[in-house]
Amino acid sequence: MTDIVLSREREKKLRTLANLMNKQNDPSTFVSRELFYVFDAAITPEETDFLLSFGTEPRTWEEAENISSHDTASFSHFFSTILEKGLIWMRKNESGEESYSLAPILMGWFEVYLFGGKETPQHREFARRLDNLFKYWKQFNVFPIRNFRNLRQHFSAPENRIVAPAPSSGTRTVIINEGEPVPDQHVINESDVISLIRKYGERNAIAVGHCFCRQWRKMVDEPCAFNMPHEACLAIGDFAEHIVRYNLGRRISPAEAIEIVTLAAKKGAVHMVFHERENIDLPELGICSCCWDCCGILGSYNRGITGLHFRAYYIAEMKNPDVCSGCGRCVRYCPVSAISLHEKKAYIQPLKCIGCGQCALQCPCNAIVMSGNERDVILPLLKTNEVRITQK
């Protein structure tokens, strides 16, 4: 990142903005100069000053206009641009009144900025700097820092929520064996994905947009190894209204949403449900279809960038080992390498299983079943010789 130079004043303002955005989520994003470079690619100095004045409390459109230096006509364009970038999100209260709040960084603004699928020079530069940020984070996977990070993870809350798959009707090496990445994370059965879609479908509150992770990887010439569709992430509730209003995605029917998650599941996706402020006691924001290659969570784990801490509600078990053909599909599709072949039979490591259900879905012999088992699954940072995906 030596080609980027920020003035001291610019860096100071971006640091303050990052700290404000970190107050909007728990857990927060590590603040560093590499993060400021990502901010600098997408946020103008004028927008930075406005966001600093805007602060962390919800505001009405009129209140936002009053803190700006724009007249009414020019403010509408200025503020809409900020909303389209995902830096501020629209909300509605129980009475339907709208308010606007500063977005968190991750999960938050990063995802929304690429949700619309744009690939302008500015978006490509954002993706390049974002990729460098993740590579910078990987530098902290060394002894003894790795040990401290793993220890801290044991005392942290689970970071995201996972839902099992929907029912079925430079150089870079992605190692998929011989064949073809933190409020609660929750693994629930596959029918609940459909229930959630139907719940918001009744309110016409589902929109689809581009997967942040796949868009990012595509723009740094690392396309999805699973060939997942790019337009596969669902926004639900008020968040869907924001996505549609500001041209970040399109509204879809429950039937279309079910088709999207079902196709993604067949290709190997694990469905994650995200909530406001990463808190499962708050309303849902979206359903992501994540693979272990592209995903900023699962992919980062497989690259040795982050560990994982999931709250799992199901566990994979061999129903009848005798029917296992040893084909290895479950091994290839498991997002955390919790399955291996021993004497041509699948062997599941229960302490690593996150309960996503991909093995059961992909098994052609019906040898694996998902059983209820609520627990925390903590997977430490992979060492360099353990990573599943290597890159320069």
Side-chain angles (χ1 to χ4, degrees):
M1 301 299 288
T2 54
D3 57 326
I4 303 170
V5 178
L6 301 180
S7 69
R8 182 174 298 180
E9 180 183 7
R10 174 72 165 155
E11 185 173 318
K12 180 180 178 180
K13 288 183 177 181
L14 292 176
R15 180 183 297 277
T16 303
L17 177 58
N19 289 331
L20 287 176
M21 295 175 77
N22 266 336
K23 292 180 179 180
Q24 305 298 76
N25 243 13
D26 184 19
S28 60
T29 302
F30 180 67
V31 175
S32 67
R33 182 168 292 164
E34 287 71 18
L35 178 65
F36 307 153
Y37 294 155
V38 182
F39 276 43
D40 182 64
I43 309 173
T44 68
E46 182 185 13
E47 290 167 345
T48 303
D49 290 339
F50 174 79
L51 293 170
L52 292 176
S53 299
F54 190 94
T56 57
E57 295 301 315
R59 295 179 182 272
T60 65
W61 183 286
E62 291 74 20
E63 289 171 337
E65 182 178 341
N66 288 337
I67 66 172
S68 79
S69 58
H70 291 264
D71 58 31
T72 300
S74 62
F75 175 75
S76 179
H77 174 74
F78 173 74
F79 195 47
S80 293
T81 299
I82 289 177
L83 290 163
E84 289 170 6
K85 288 184 178 182
L87 292 161
I88 289 177
W89 292 357
M90 183 273 291
R91 297 283 194 277
K92 289 183 179 180
N93 61 21
E94 294 180 356
S95 302
E97 298 170 322
E98 296 181 0
S99 64
Y100 301 84
S101 299
L102 184 68
I105 301 172
L106 185 75
M107 308 294 172
W109 166 55
F110 278 6
E111 286 78 8
V112 179
Y113 186 65
L114 297 184
F115 207 76
K118 294 180 180 178
E119 297 183 18
T120 67
Q122 185 179 48
H123 285 84
R124 289 185 177 278
E125 181 61 16
F126 172 90
R128 184 183 76 86
R129 296 187 189 188
L130 178 69
D131 199 53
N132 283 330
L133 173 64
F134 274 73
K135 290 175 180 176
Y136 167 74
W137 287 341
K138 187 174 182 177
Q139 295 177 11
F140 294 96
N141 186 1
V142 293
F143 178 84
I145 299 175
R146 177 172 56 245
N147 298 48
F148 286 113
R149 291 180 64 187
N150 288 334
L151 181 64
R152 181 182 179 186
Q153 187 170 251
H154 276 267
F155 296 98
S156 66
E159 294 184 359
N160 295 283
R161 190 179 185 202
I162 283 187
V163 178
S168 175
S169 104
T171 64
R172 173 175 176 270
T173 305
V174 178
I175 306 170
I176 314 182
N177 295 324
E178 299 176 358
E180 306 179 34
V182 195
D184 269 337
Q185 179 152 341
H186 180 193
V187 180
I188 58 181
N189 70 33
E190 50 208 31
S191 64
D192 285 320
V193 181
I194 307 304
S195 297
L196 196 59
I197 289 173
R198 287 175 176 158
K199 169 187 170 182
Y200 284 99
E202 290 176 356
R203 295 162 44 185
N204 195 27
I206 305 175
V208 66
H210 287 67
C211 170
F212 153 75
C213 304
R214 283 189 277 281
Q215 281 297 110
W216 151 35
R217 295 287 177 194
K218 177 185 177 184
M219 288 190 284
V220 295
D221 298 320
E222 294 186 359
C224 179
F226 286 83
N227 195 30
M228 290 279 183
H230 285 259
E231 194 184 42
C233 284
L234 306 181
I236 51 182
D238 288 346
F239 193 48
E241 180 65 30
H242 178 100
I243 293 300
V244 173
R245 183 181 298 183
Y246 296 104
N247 303 311
L248 295 164
R250 57 187 177 88
R251 199 180 305 276
I252 59 173
S253 69
E256 290 176 283
I258 290 172
E259 183 179 359
I260 287 170
V261 298
T262 300
L263 174 62
K266 289 179 179 178
K267 286 178 170 286
V270 175
H271 299 303
M272 295 190 185
V273 176
F274 294 96
H275 296 246
E276 290 186 15
R277 303 183 70 91
E278 294 279 17
N279 184 340
I280 63 170
D281 294 324
L282 296 177
E284 297 94 351
L285 291 174
I287 305 171
C288 290
S289 297
C290 309
C291 73
W292 62 253
D293 174 35
C294 300
C295 178
I297 298 170
L298 295 171
S300 291
Y301 168 74
N302 285 299
R303 288 173 173 81
I305 298 172
T306 63
L308 296 177
H309 187 174
F310 295 159
R311 177 151 305 152
Y313 281 71
Y314 283 78
I315 192 167
E317 295 180 343
M318 292 295 294
K319 179 181 180 181
N320 185 354
D322 293 336
V323 305
C324 175
S325 66
C327 68
R329 282 183 65 85
C330 57
V331 177
R332 294 194 293 272
Y333 282 93
C334 178
V336 293
S337 298
I339 309 178
S340 56
L341 292 181
H342 291 266
E343 298 181 353
K344 298 184 179 180
K345 298 290 183 181
Y347 170 75
I348 302 169
Q349 301 178 61
L351 294 180
K352 291 189 69 175
C353 175
I354 63 172
C356 71
Q358 262 300 316
C359 55
L361 180 67
Q362 300 294 340
C363 179
C365 305
N366 198 29
I368 302 174
V369 298
M370 303 303 296
S371 302
N373 188 326
E374 181 177 349
R375 69 213 183 279
D376 274 7
V377 180
I378 301 176
L379 304 181
L381 274 165
L382 296 175
K383 297 178 182 179
T384 303
N385 63 347
E386 298 173 326
V387 300
R388 195 173 190 177
I389 303 170
T390 60
Q391 62 186 113
K392 289 184 179 180

